[in-house]
Amino acid sequence: MPVRHDHWIGGKDERPAGGAYLPTVDPATREPGDEIAAGSAPDVERAVASAVRAQPEWARRPGAERSETLHRIGDAIEANAGELMELERACTGKTPAQLRMEADMSAAYFRYYAGVLRAHGGRTIDQGAGHHTYTRFEPYGVIAAITPWNLPLNQACRALAPALAAGNAVVAKPSEFTSASTLHLARLAAAAGLPDGLLNVVTGTGPDAGAPLAAHPGVRRITFTGSVATGRRLAGRRRRPARPGDAGARRQVAPGGVRRRDLDRAVAAAVAAVATNAGQVCSATARLLIESSVHDEVVARIVDAVGGLEPGTDFGPIITEDQFRKVLGHFDAARAAGLTPVTGGSAYTDGAAARGRYIRPTVYAGVPPSAPVAREELFGPVLVTMPFTGEDEALARANDTDYGLVAAVWSGDVARGLRLAERIDAGQVSVNGGPLTIETPFGGFKDSGHGREKGIEALHEYGQTKAISLSLG
Ligand code: NAD
């Protein structure tokens, strides 16, 4: 019998009102895995009611107390990382290194916002003698956190830590394909001292559990990461803007003013874009703009390097069957349009990898900018290269996309790198490998989302400013 996971509501397991459970699958083997509760509107109702009850007392606590609790949740994630990683592995097939990195970052989100919270406050406004005017940072109340399947625990923590820090309660709705780690996180948080009702998890599909949660009048704000279509739907439905997280992305690497060392690092970054989570990362730098003079050399080096990547060791499978079919569909469409990859372009058909949803690392070189593979988010282990001549052409190509989440520029000429970084329409730009971390605000321009996650900016997304003015006369 498969293990069954119930909802987590009000600090305890709750069976789904409809009595049904959904299957999950290990994408590395296609073997059936645990089952999760198939949530529906009555389950959402209970979870929101529980959050509404718990939130005011949490918001009244001094920031230092909330901070202590968040620190303890960070410690609990670290101490129980093995269990969390195993739950995540079972429904994503991720590699051990990928799982470890995500678990470490998950703990770090709680520690970061525990610290930021203690240094955060309002301000006083000088209106002359006889008046005392100041601002307070206040929570919204109940936040809905709707998260996708690519980095399940990590993306839950990215939203939950600042939301709880700001004094909100949360109802989380993880992806129906990857819910177990978020459920276990909620259990660990309760054991670490988070009061019951502050973090509830309702599992189930988007239409059956996500939609009633997003529409619930008790929910004051939504944080969402996933597809552009769902993000738009949720944004349209709310009185307040939803935050379609980092829905959809486009990203560029533009080596220019070439030095050997920059080329080495740019090639390594391109290979990492394929290997990291098998390209299922919204910030993967997978659309490569390469100066014509070095284009063929860079492509040859990338092809050589990705040829050495081993499925199951260096990169994992595609997490959902839909996404697996979608990536293969992109290959079919490219073939029909006369494009041939220089490497890859198919799923594995022999060996252990053929049992799972593994796709060969794939490179399309010298692709026309209008080709769908150069314009759409492929969300798989696929790189697309386009040559350019001169800075203006690089910039025009980089900005010729509906998306704008993350870009990376590689150049031996630092001034040129910064000039490009300032003119690229993206929420984050790394120049010559500059780190983008929890401290750096993350979010998209154009179709890549509203609002910011990470950094101090994310805390502001989960609180609102109140001005209070007192006459002393
Ligand atoms: P999705 O938008 O359907 O799902 C994301 C989350 O939203 C899930 O929890 C889902 O259950 C929920 N959801 C779906 N419909 C909903 C609705 N009507 N109301 C409320 N919640 C709803 O995304 P997907 O199908 O998982 O992936 C589709 C595409 O999105 C992928 O091919 C990829 O290109 C992109 N994607 C992006 C990210 C990212 O981090 N930017 C992550 C996953 C997928």
Side-chain angles (χ1 to χ4, degrees):
M1 275 292 282
V3 173
R4 283 191 158 176
H5 300 280
D6 289 317
H7 303 303
W8 182 263
I9 298 174
K12 55 183 197 303
D13 290 319
E14 289 277 356
R15 292 171 63 79
Y21 291 80
L22 300 171
T24 66
V25 169
D26 177 350
T29 59
R30 289 191 167 91
E31 300 279 331
D34 295 355
E35 292 182 348
I36 57 145
S40 57
D43 302 319
V44 166
E45 198 59 50
R46 279 185 291 164
V48 174
S50 154
V52 166
R53 271 195 306 277
Q55 188 268 333
E57 191 276 329
W58 175 246
R60 278 196 301 271
R61 292 190 186 189
E65 268 183 41
R66 295 203 300 274
S67 169
E68 282 304 321
T69 306
L70 295 192
H71 271 299
R72 285 200 297 274
I73 297 173
D75 293 346
I77 293 172
E78 185 175 82
N80 296 278
E83 287 167 27
L84 288 163
M85 286 162 61
E86 176 48 27
L87 289 169
E88 202 81 304
R89 187 208 57 73
C91 55
T92 63
K94 289 171 189 269
T95 62
Q98 181 71 32
L99 291 164
R100 169 49 65 186
M101 185 183 75
E102 292 178 28
D104 289 350
M105 268 186 81
S106 299
Y109 279 117
F110 280 93
R111 292 180 173 140
Y112 175 76
Y113 287 103
V116 166
L117 171 59
R118 295 191 76 147
H120 191 262
R123 64 189 179 101
T124 55
I125 298 164
D126 181 4
Q127 294 193 311
H131 305 288
H132 176 52
T133 305
Y134 64 105
T135 65
R136 279 173 55 78
F137 177 71
E138 298 200 351
Y140 283 101
V142 177
I143 307 283
I146 301 178
T147 47
W149 42 259
N150 57 329
L151 305 166
L153 179 68
N154 194 269
Q155 280 168 330
C157 293
R158 189 172 78 185
L160 300 181
L164 291 169
N168 300 286
V170 181
V171 179
K173 207 302 280 174
S175 165
E176 55 272 37
F177 305 105
T178 56
S179 296
S181 59
T182 306
L183 285 163
H184 198 51
L185 168 75
R187 189 182 299 276
L188 292 174
L194 188 72
D196 293 347
L198 280 176
L199 172 52
N200 307 278
V201 184
V202 173
T203 59
T205 65
D208 290 344
L213 176 61
H216 197 291
V219 169
R220 305 304 301 172
R221 205 155 166 86
I222 303 168
T223 172
F224 165 80
T225 302
S227 64
V228 174
T230 308
R232 287 217 174 105
R233 190 173 307 134
L234 296 182
R237 186 184 298 156
R238 302 296 298 175
R239 278 169 293 133
R240 287 171 215 285
R243 304 179 49 240
D246 39 11
R250 272 301 172 186
R251 45 278 166 157
Q252 309 86 14
V253 179
V258 182
R259 284 186 319 194
R260 235 7 49 201
R261 187 165 144 266
D262 302 318
L263 279 191
D264 293 346
R265 294 164 71 203
V267 168
V271 175
V274 167
T276 306
N277 216 31
Q280 300 161 105
V281 183
C282 47
S283 52
T285 46
R287 179 177 178 254
L288 311 180
L289 306 174
I290 308 174
E291 194 144 42
S292 307
S293 58
V294 291
H295 176 269
D296 293 355
E297 179 197 341
V298 171
V299 169
R301 290 181 57 185
I302 290 172
V303 168
D304 188 48
V306 300
L309 296 175
E310 287 296 329
T313 309
D314 297 313
F315 66 98
I318 299 298
I319 295 168
T320 71
E321 189 64 29
D322 263 10
Q323 186 62 28
F324 181 68
R325 301 271 153 227
K326 211 164 147 182
V327 177
L328 295 179
H330 282 300
F331 294 163
D332 290 342
R335 193 175 308 115
L339 293 176
T340 307
V342 279
T343 187
S346 60
Y348 283 85
T349 48
D350 49 18
R355 290 172 56 219
R357 299 186 192 122
Y358 286 94
I359 287 186
R360 294 181 193 281
T362 300
V363 180
Y364 287 94
V367 163
S370 58
V373 283
R375 304 198 70 79
E376 286 169 28
E377 181 173 57
L378 303 180
F379 229 62
V382 188
L383 296 176
V384 172
T385 79
M386 285 172 273
F388 71 83
T389 309
E391 204 172 308
D392 288 345
E393 192 186 350
L395 186 70
R397 294 246 183 286
N399 285 339
D400 178 23
T401 160
D402 295 333
Y403 301 114
L405 186 61
V406 175
V409 182
W410 298 88
S411 175
D413 178 346
V414 171
R416 186 187 206 196
L418 281 183
R419 257 197 320 271
L420 280 166
E422 290 187 2
R423 295 166 68 201
I424 288 175
D425 297 331
Q428 289 197 310
V429 185
S430 158
V431 180
N432 290 349
L436 299 171
T437 62
I438 290 179
E439 288 76 9
T440 47
F442 175 73
F445 281 22
K446 302 195 272 188
D447 277 355
S448 289
H450 303 298
R452 291 294 174 268
E453 308 215 64
K454 304 185 177 178
I456 295 172
E457 284 77 359
L459 194 65
H460 294 154
E461 299 283 348
Y462 295 104
Q464 47 198 340
T465 299
K466 177 187 283 177
I468 298 179
S469 186
L470 168 72
S471 176
L472 302 174

